[in-house]
Amino acid sequence: MQHLSIFPILIPLLFGAIMLLPPISRDINSQRIASVVGTLFLLISSAVLLYTVNSEGVQLYALGGWQAPFGIALVADKVSSLMVLLTAFLAFAVMLYAVAGQDKGGAYFHPLFMFQIMGINGAFLTGDIFNLFVFFEVLLIASYALLIHAGGKQKTQATMHYVILNLVGSSLFLFGLGILYGTLGTLNMADMAIKVGQLEGETATLAKTGALLLLVVFGLKAAMLPMHFWLPKTYASATAPVAALFAIMTKVGVYSIFRVYTVLFGEHAGELANIATPWLWPLALLTITIGAIGVFASPSIKTLSANLVIVSSGSLLACAAINSEEATSAALYYMVHSTLASAALFLIADIMARQRGKAEDRFVRSRPFVQPKLLGFAFAISALALVGMPPLSGFVGKIMILQATQSSTQTMWVWPLILLGSLAALITFSRAGTTLFWRHNGTAAAEAEPAKKLEIAGVALLLLASPVLVIFGGDMTTFTQQAASYLHDIHASAYQLLPGAAQ
Amino acid sequence: MEGLYAFCVGLLTACGIFLALRGRSFSVVIGLTLLSYAVNLFLFASGRLKLNAAAVLGESEQYSDPLPQALVLTAIVIGFAMTAFAVILAMRARADLGNDHVDGTLPVSPADTAQQSGGNRKCNT
Amino acid sequence: MSSLIWLPFLPLLGTLIPHITARFSRTACAFMTAALPALTLFLVLSHAGDIFQGERFQAAVPWIPAIGLELAFRLDGLALLFAILILGIGLLVILYARYYLSAQDSIGKFYAYLMLFMFAMLGVVLSDNLIQLWFFWELTSISSFLLISFWGHKTDARKGARMALTITGAGGLALLAGLLILGNTVGSFSLQDVLDSGDLIKASANYPIIVVLVLLGAFTKSAQFPFHFWLPNAMAAPTPVSAYLHSATMVKAGIFLMARFYPALANTDLWFLIVSLTGLATFLVGAYIALFQHDLKGLLANSTISHLGLITLLLGMGTDLAAVAAIFHIINHATFKASLFMAAGIIDHESGSRDMRQLNGLWKYMPYTATLAMVASASMAGVPLMNGFLSKEMFFTETLHQASLGSLLVYSSIGNAGRSLCRRLFHPFHP
């Protein structure tokens, strides 16, 4: 199918728009049905897209028939279609959870959710860097509104920080884009990748400024130190389905870093080759450290999972800093794993908080759970996955990252930090688990509601992904390796996307 | 012309960043607006500054790059929407949190319980 | 031999059985749970004849080649010995737990955890791939956490479980780093390749790092000094768990690791220094602390630490006969220490106390337990005609050959420690 590549953007857009129109907009039940059907369609079309890309190669879609580099192109390659499928799967599972009742807290949850997915998918698929900015704004404005969904002091406060930071980030993004356009004269990423190698002297320095400004913006999205401080508060205060969906937001930043600093400013960029690496190294390592300290200090599960998001961002940035095919492959695997596992933990934390009365999800003595077995099982699975213990997917990603280091200096820096980060998570999770499940007094709260069937289904879907990623780890890693080698091969990821480009 | 233009962009950016770093939501919103003005001018300049040059071929002797103009248009629209959102959010925060500070709480330093110093620290409690 | 691939997974299948059969009587549940380990034991034993002939069974299926992980099992002499220990003592513990656990304890949950542990432990000893070995190694840490915290409502059970998980988990991460460097040095993650390239490893510049990291994993698991403190705290677990994990099997995993990599890593000065000195220190510290214990299980735990130190010391000496003595002592220690733990459990269960200052004259009330405990303690102290005597004699012979260590010190301490342990152990039975 020719138009397959644009479906992941069109489907959420159409469903979101329909839900704003009168017959559906007044009735929450039909909105729910529309949302579940929409995300299911999205999941199917993303799976078909991935299958097509895998069997037929990269799908290039020129919007409006304007050929690149003059028009805007959507590029569905192995990397972007994997991320789109991940988003679709996450959205479907989270939507199952949300329709059980979490969507009632405020108006327009469903349309906003759809627009957010549209923004995320667009950011993954686009082959034009200004278009990337536009989709960033789409996902951001939806996320601003989703974050404040259901209201409350904490949310307003967290949203305030989040919005201001991201508005400044958007301005910086445009400054960077302006500089790059001024020096390169194009905004198509493949075209930029080809032209950037010809820059020299002052123009190269100017382009470097622009490129590093973009690193600041992507770093802000990816919660890279020192732009990480907004994340724990924001994620911990958001409504559970929103926080779970946000698990992919940092990955959008990391994905953009991989795109821009592997393809555009990678090995072939002449004077500007690997400009981000010297910055990424210390920042990635510090991000892991700060994240691990945050994990240690977390007083509740939501904060804990938010800090784990920072640790995983740091690990992914370390992969970007290593800048090799193995590292990119490791990062892709780890991205899929950590997105799903942390999203699951956000949802589980919400179910727990509802059953513990005033204690919520803090690590203090409280009443026992209404469903101790179910929650214990789910918590144990997500904990094992996030700590990176066998038999769940975390350990594969961790070993892949460890194995990707190239020199002994890299090994000496990356290994201890990643391993100590796992140890911090292990200690905190064992403390959390023993406190939450075994230190209790009295009986289960009478007013506490047990988790609904749809909620359990959503969490189960996310958790199920973890063992599946291990059992079919062979196929999965083969795929990520192919995707990584595509990204590192300038011939495939730039020249072949521009039919007329001279090599 | 280039010098004046660059000076304007730089001044706007500097003012925008200064105001965005302030503690009250009103000055922050103004700062963000100034920043977006600066950005728009800057984007416009990325296609080079030319006089008497239309963006449509054949209308004038020289022609200018139409792409930055399209970009600026997009950026203006997005920036406008974002500013509107930030204003609404600031009002909501003023109502929810009881003050207009971006942290939601007024900073209390040992000195200003007794004497209220000017500028940002002035409390309206 | 394709059945070898499925062999370790039988206990994993067995984790489901207690859930299904828990609604029947406890006896039925116990027997049906025991069926699968018994079958596994039978299958393992059926290969014993060939293995004694010097044969080695191996089977492998590719899994995740990107990280060097494949599903690979091997059954050789060392694996056979440990598999028999794990399954044999496991069966006895299942039987013992049937009568030990009270009616309030969920016996189905207990058996499920126990089978999970058995699966993990069996996976460790049968592994033929470094990453897979680590995979199961971490699973033993997780399942032992669940077992120690079985009585999760008790504070000391929670604390003991967390401490055990932290120490063994940290050791597991060190082990992972060590195994990855080892595999990268050799160029293959297959255990056979690693064992075959001992000279290459010892010549490599990474050798000291590998030894230290792998030994960190082994020492934390086997409660060697200075990581010994988690073991006495883990005694908050139900006694069947203490008997199974903390005397017969899990603490032996570290010893197993040293024995497994003995051909590849041992016989160097570094190995000798680290392993034998740590073993000696553990041996002395364990015996010393044991002398001041009032808690029966605490006493046994510290004596276990001391014995583990002894085995480590033997493995560090680097002579072939010392290694044989170490392996022999593993069997002996597993048999007599597990039975002593069970005896302690019976005393605790029947009298309601494990404090030796409160227990007196039990001989009169439980003569059978007393006799059995006496036999086991005599074996532990190395009384002639017992198996402990043999391994102790082998140990002495070997230390005489190794003049470098303070053998005299070892001599005197072992005699003293053994004697006083015996006296104190029998204190409860004195009239």
Side-chain angles (χ1 to χ4, degrees):
Chain A
M1 270 227 299
Q2 189 199 341
H3 299 290
L4 197 58
S5 320
I6 202 173
F7 277 14
I9 301 172
L10 277 189
I11 292 175
L13 174 64
L14 282 179
F15 274 87
I18 288 171
M19 279 188 271
L20 286 174
L21 297 177
I24 300 187
S25 66
R26 290 193 202 116
D27 180 18
I28 186 110
N29 276 327
S30 40
Q31 280 193 11
R32 286 173 176 172
I33 293 167
S35 276
V36 173
V37 171
T39 43
L40 189 63
F41 275 174
L42 183 66
L43 185 60
I44 294 167
S45 72
S46 311
V48 175
L49 178 65
L50 184 73
Y51 178 78
T52 317
V53 168
N54 200 22
S55 55
E56 292 172 19
V58 180
Q59 303 283 308
L60 195 62
Y61 187 85
L63 284 173
W66 292 90
Q67 285 306 319
F70 307 108
I72 293 171
L74 295 184
V75 183
D77 53 30
K78 284 190 170 154
V79 187
S80 56
S81 52
L82 175 71
M83 296 310 291
V84 166
L85 181 62
L86 173 66
T87 314
F89 181 77
L90 179 73
F92 180 64
V94 170
M95 187 45 86
L96 279 186
Y97 185 93
V99 294
Q102 290 279 312
D103 54 351
K104 278 192 298 195
Y108 301 119
F109 175 85
H110 291 278
L112 287 170
F113 193 92
M114 286 294 169
F115 291 139
Q116 163 118 35
I117 292 167
M118 173 196 160
I120 295 172
N121 280 343
F124 286 141
L125 281 172
T126 187
D128 184 286
I129 204 158
F130 191 80
N131 203 223
L132 180 69
F133 164 77
V134 173
F135 279 119
F136 260 52
E137 294 305 306
V138 172
L139 76 88
L140 279 176
I141 198 149
S143 77
Y144 299 155
L146 275 180
L147 191 59
I148 209 164
H149 171 76
K153 263 189 178 183
Q154 265 191 332
K155 285 189 183 113
T156 316
Q157 203 183 332
T159 312
M160 196 74 198
H161 286 184
Y162 180 74
V163 169
I164 292 172
L165 268 174
N166 278 300
L167 285 179
V168 174
S170 301
S171 304
L172 291 183
F173 199 157
L174 284 176
F175 275 123
L177 282 185
I179 296 173
L180 286 180
Y181 181 74
T183 50
L184 290 169
T186 177
L187 288 167
N188 181 290
M189 287 203 253
D191 202 21
M192 289 168 90
I194 295 167
K195 289 195 175 145
V196 77
Q198 296 154 5
L199 294 181
E200 46 193 20
E202 280 181 9
T203 339
T205 317
L206 203 56
K208 188 177 176 183
T209 321
L212 290 177
L213 266 179
L214 289 190
L215 183 66
V216 175
V217 181
F218 298 148
L220 177 68
K221 301 277 181 300
M224 178 172 75
L225 202 88
M227 283 93 71
H228 69 288
F229 50 86
W230 58 272
L231 192 139
K233 214 172 165 187
T234 310
Y235 279 39
S237 64
T239 325
V242 176
L245 184 65
F246 276 23
I248 197 140
M249 293 270 283
T250 53
K251 273 65 179 182
V252 179
V254 175
Y255 168 87
S256 311
I257 287 180
F258 270 100
R259 266 276 166 213
V260 171
Y261 299 99
T262 307
V263 181
L264 261 63
F265 302 99
E267 303 282 320
H268 311 271
E271 277 188 32
L272 297 179
N274 302 328
I275 42 167
T277 317
W279 293 96
L280 279 176
W281 266 117
L283 294 178
L285 298 178
L286 283 171
T287 310
I288 302 179
T289 317
I290 289 288
I293 294 173
V295 164
F296 250 135
S298 301
S300 69
I301 300 199
K302 283 177 189 162
T303 326
L304 171 62
S305 15
N307 280 309
L308 283 167
V309 170
I310 296 182
V311 175
S312 72
S313 268
S315 312
L316 290 169
L317 291 170
C319 287
I322 296 170
N323 196 9
S324 69
E325 269 185 47
E326 291 78 31
T328 310
S329 163
L332 287 174
Y333 186 96
Y334 192 80
M335 233 188 281
V336 176
H337 143 77
S338 72
T339 306
L340 297 177
S342 45
L345 190 60
F346 277 118
L347 298 184
I348 295 168
D350 181 57
I351 303 181
M352 283 181 173
R354 273 186 280 147
Q355 296 193 0
R356 289 178 87 223
K358 273 186 194 160
E360 292 186 337
D361 61 336
R362 279 172 291 141
F363 305 151
V364 290
R365 183 193 289 270
S366 79
R367 294 183 205 169
F369 292 112
V370 186
Q371 298 159 300
K373 276 191 181 171
L374 178 84
L375 284 178
F377 194 63
F379 178 79
I381 288 183
S382 67
L384 286 180
L386 284 167
V387 173
M389 290 273 260
L392 296 168
S393 53
F395 90 97
V396 181
K398 192 165 69 186
I399 294 180
M400 280 174 88
I401 294 178
L402 295 182
Q403 287 286 54
T405 54
Q406 285 168 323
S407 64
S408 51
T409 327
Q410 291 183 358
T411 309
M412 270 169 57
W413 281 104
V414 175
W415 285 33
L417 280 176
I418 297 229
L419 292 176
L420 286 177
S422 306
L423 185 63
L426 176 71
I427 293 171
T428 315
F429 267 115
S430 68
R431 190 185 64 175
T434 47
T435 311
L436 290 171
F437 288 95
W438 291 322
R439 270 191 77 191
H440 43 61
N441 47 13
T443 51
E447 75 275 19
E449 39 166 346
K452 301 184 186 77
K453 282 208 177 93
L454 274 174
E455 291 179 336
I456 298 169
V459 174
L461 258 184
L462 291 174
L463 290 178
L464 203 62
S466 193
V468 167
L469 278 176
V470 175
I471 294 170
F472 297 103
D475 300 325
M476 181 69 195
T477 50
T478 316
F479 182 84
T480 57
Q481 270 165 354
Q482 287 169 357
S485 70
Y486 162 83
L487 213 55
H488 282 267
D489 178 13
I490 183 93
H491 182 75
S493 57
Y495 286 102
Q496 285 189 353
L497 302 182
L498 290 172
Q503 302 231 347
Chain B
M1 184 176 69
E2 266 99 354
L4 188 65
Y5 197 91
F7 177 75
C8 284
V9 173
L11 189 68
L12 277 173
T13 314
C15 295
I17 288 178
F18 174 76
L19 286 174
L21 291 173
R22 305 286 291 178
R24 306 273 175 170
S25 51
F26 179 72
S27 46
V28 171
V29 171
I30 297 291
L32 291 172
T33 318
L34 288 185
L35 255 184
S36 75
Y37 293 161
V39 160
N40 293 338
L41 288 176
F42 185 81
L43 270 185
F44 189 73
S46 71
R48 304 296 182 272
L49 294 173
K50 282 174 191 167
L51 284 175
N52 291 328
V56 183
L57 290 179
E59 294 290 315
S60 58
E61 279 182 25
Q62 280 187 311
Y63 61 90
S64 66
D65 190 347
L67 195 64
Q69 307 189 0
L71 299 187
V72 170
L73 206 58
T74 319
I76 289 173
V77 173
I78 291 176
F80 191 67
M82 292 295 179
T83 310
F85 187 86
V87 170
I88 296 296
L89 184 69
M91 287 166 69
R92 167 85 178 261
R94 175 71 183 79
D96 275 6
L97 305 170
N99 61 66
D100 63 345
H101 206 271
V102 285
D103 283 335
T105 49
L106 293 165
V108 181
S109 70
D112 65 21
T113 45
Q115 62 199 38
Q116 296 187 346
S117 53
N120 196 21
R121 287 237 200 92
K122 197 184 281 175
C123 299
N124 57 352
T125 45
Chain C
M1 193 181 101
S2 61
S3 73
L4 190 54
I5 289 287
W6 297 109
L7 203 63
F9 291 96
L10 286 177
L12 182 65
L13 196 65
T15 52
L16 298 175
I17 292 182
H19 285 297
I20 303 164
T21 56
R23 70 186 88 139
F24 306 137
S25 78
R26 290 159 66 94
T27 316
C29 181
F31 275 100
M32 284 161 109
T33 308
L36 277 174
L39 176 66
T40 321
L41 183 62
F42 173 75
L43 286 173
V44 168
L45 282 175
S46 68
H47 298 301
D50 293 333
I51 288 167
F52 286 137
Q53 303 292 324
E55 251 189 87
R56 190 172 61 212
F57 297 98
Q58 279 168 306
V61 179
W63 191 358
I64 309 181
I67 57 168
L69 176 64
E70 58 177 359
L71 202 61
F73 295 107
R74 65 190 270 141
L75 193 58
D76 55 7
L78 188 65
L80 178 76
L81 166 76
F82 272 91
I84 293 173
L85 269 184
I86 293 160
L87 293 164
I89 296 183
L91 283 172
L92 294 176
V93 166
I94 290 175
L95 182 69
Y96 180 83
R98 147 74 186 88
Y99 295 98
Y100 181 83
L101 290 180
S102 72
Q104 289 96 3
D105 297 325
S106 159
I107 197 156
K109 192 170 96 176
F110 183 81
Y111 280 150
Y113 291 165
L114 203 67
M115 298 300 278
L116 182 67
F117 173 77
M118 199 185 274
F119 161 67
M121 199 62 212
L122 208 56
V124 169
V125 300
L126 293 180
S127 276
D128 197 16
N129 176 289
L130 298 185
I131 306 289
Q132 188 202 307
L133 176 72
W134 178 77
F135 181 100
F136 285 111
W137 182 276
E138 292 291 66
L139 266 186
T140 61
S141 298
I142 298 164
S143 50
S144 86
F145 172 81
L146 292 172
L147 280 169
I148 297 171
S149 60
F150 183 70
W151 286 326
H153 52 91
K154 291 186 183 169
T155 311
D156 51 347
R158 290 197 302 265
K159 283 192 176 152
R162 269 164 53 187
M163 184 185 282
L165 184 66
T166 306
I167 302 291
T168 54
L173 292 172
L175 177 67
L176 172 65
L179 291 180
L180 285 178
I181 300 176
L182 182 60
N184 291 339
T185 309
V186 177
S188 157
F189 286 95
S190 156
L191 187 62
Q192 193 57 48
D193 292 345
V194 170
L195 295 185
D196 287 343
S197 40
D199 294 332
L200 176 85
I201 298 166
K202 284 170 210 165
S204 134
N206 291 333
Y207 176 73
I209 309 171
I210 298 174
V211 166
V212 168
L213 288 174
V214 169
L215 286 180
L216 261 179
F219 288 167
T220 47
K221 199 78 158 181
S222 283
Q224 298 292 304
F225 181 81
F227 310 109
H228 60 286
F229 51 88
W230 69 264
L231 189 59
N233 286 306
M235 288 301 142
T239 304
V241 174
S242 310
Y244 191 37
L245 270 68
H246 303 129
S247 72
T249 56
M250 193 183 83
V251 289
K252 298 277 167 52
I255 306 281
F256 167 81
L257 195 73
M258 285 188 266
R260 186 46 108 193
F261 288 112
Y262 192 79
L265 298 178
N267 280 329
T268 60
D269 288 345
L270 184 72
W271 174 277
F272 171 73
L273 264 179
I274 300 181
V275 177
S276 55
L277 281 182
T278 311
L280 185 65
T282 314
F283 175 56
L284 295 176
V285 167
Y288 181 74
I289 300 175
L291 292 178
F292 300 101
Q293 292 287 322
H294 296 298
D295 179 22
L296 261 182
K297 277 177 82 175
L299 169 67
L300 288 172
N302 282 299
S303 130
T304 302
I305 292 174
S306 162
H307 277 270
L308 290 170
L310 173 64
I311 300 171
T312 309
L313 176 57
L314 280 168
L315 280 172
M317 278 200 247
T319 58
D320 283 351
L321 207 62
V324 173
I327 304 294
F328 186 57
H329 198 65
I330 291 172
I331 311 175
N332 295 337
H333 179 251
T335 50
F336 64 64
K337 193 51 66 66
S339 52
L340 277 176
F341 264 115
M342 290 184 181
I346 295 172
I347 294 172
D348 184 18
H349 201 262
E350 298 301 317
S351 65
S353 168
R354 294 194 316 235
D355 193 332
M356 282 185 281
R357 287 166 299 191
Q358 294 174 351
L359 294 166
N360 266 321
L362 288 178
W363 181 272
K364 206 161 62 183
Y365 303 106
M366 34 178 76
Y368 299 114
T369 312
T371 317
L372 290 173
M374 195 138 59
V375 174
S377 310
S379 168
M380 178 163 87
V383 174
L385 296 182
M386 300 288 176
N387 53 4
F389 171 69
L390 279 179
S391 55
K392 208 148 280 187
E393 278 306 303
M394 288 161 89
F395 167 66
F396 286 150
T397 325
E398 283 312 303
T399 38
L400 275 181
H401 293 306
Q402 284 278 358
S404 51
L405 277 178
S407 310
L408 267 178
L409 183 71
V410 178
Y411 252 108
S412 55
S413 70
I414 196 166
N416 282 337
R419 228 170 288 134
S420 42
L421 278 180
C422 266
R423 206 180 62 232
R424 298 191 52 110
L425 257 183
F426 282 103
H427 182 71
F429 296 114
H430 271 300

